[in-house]
Amino acid sequence: MRALPLIALAALAGASAAQAQQPDRSSQKLEVLGDAPAACVANAATATNQVNAMFQSNGPTGGVVVFPTLVDQTTATARASSIALSLPVVCNTSHRITLRSSNGGLQREGSSAGGNSAGGFSEFQSYDVSLEWQGQTAAIGAGSNSAALAQGQPAKGDMRIDIAVPQGTRPLVAGTYTDSVVVEIRPAN
């Protein structure tokens, strides 16, 4: 009978050894977080259709549209000209787009607002600018210097900007005609 307690003792010793070999277990929860701030990003525009117009890109910050032959050489009136620009845009939230013109048309440098000159000449040439984005359109033209549209959700794609100078009716005074058009894309929140 003495052998029996030794076997029981050996079995208990074996169980203790097995428990001693397994480490204590614990767990920790690790949370991983990130933040995607509201942003709208526009990349460099490209010209997709040009009639008596050229586009010089300044990269993602803008560019210059040039009408190389603004007036008809025999009448001195504005020639019909147009250009379409494609502007890649990504907005990761709802956003608002504002289209703004400084002069509301092409104003001769050094002339006063209004653009009328003596002898039936003009120092101002109107033109139209429209943009299309995600099925919505905003436009400025004769008498309108700004327009806006709102997009209620994130969107990405190519914004189309069309600029069109109509055939003129009055001769233009010689000089350089300029305007500044701003397309502002701003996150709504």
Side-chain angles (χ1 to χ4, degrees):
M1 287 239 192
R2 286 193 105 159
L4 204 53
L6 287 176
I7 293 174
L9 187 58
L12 286 176
S16 287
Q19 286 176 347
Q21 290 176 356
Q22 290 187 355
D24 288 337
R25 293 185 180 172
S26 69
S27 65
Q28 293 185 359
K29 180 179 177 182
L30 177 62
E31 293 191 30
V32 179
L33 302 173
D35 184 35
C40 288
V41 178
N43 290 303
T46 57
T48 59
N49 189 13
Q50 303 157 283
V51 175
N52 187 40
M54 299 182 317
F55 178 68
Q56 301 164 349
S57 176
N58 293 338
T61 61
V64 178
V65 172
V66 177
F67 300 109
T69 311
L70 180 60
V71 297
D72 181 286
Q73 297 300 315
T74 58
T75 64
T77 58
R79 291 181 60 199
S81 306
S82 62
I83 190 166
L85 302 173
S86 179
L87 181 66
V89 174
V90 175
C91 286
N92 68 354
T93 186
S94 56
H95 49 282
R96 180 175 175 84
I97 300 173
T98 304
L99 178 62
R100 214 172 33 249
S101 165
S102 297
N103 299 331
L106 291 165
Q107 182 80 39
R108 188 176 71 83
E109 287 182 350
S111 68
S112 60
N116 290 323
S117 183
F121 285 84
S122 180
E123 296 179 302
F124 181 84
Q125 175 61 48
S126 65
Y127 68 98
D128 299 313
V129 181
S130 65
L131 69 80
E132 183 180 318
W133 174 243
Q134 302 295 312
Q136 298 183 64
T137 303
I140 56 176
S144 170
N145 285 22
S146 67
L149 59 86
Q151 178 68 26
Q153 59 190 12
K156 67 177 182 171
D158 288 335
M159 179 184 297
R160 181 181 167 110
I161 302 169
D162 293 309
I163 302 172
V165 176
Q167 180 68 41
T169 57
R170 296 177 62 196
L172 296 175
V173 173
T176 300
Y177 287 74
T178 65
D179 191 16
S180 179
V181 174
V182 175
V183 177
E184 181 181 38
I185 309 163
R186 175 180 288 173
N189 45 340

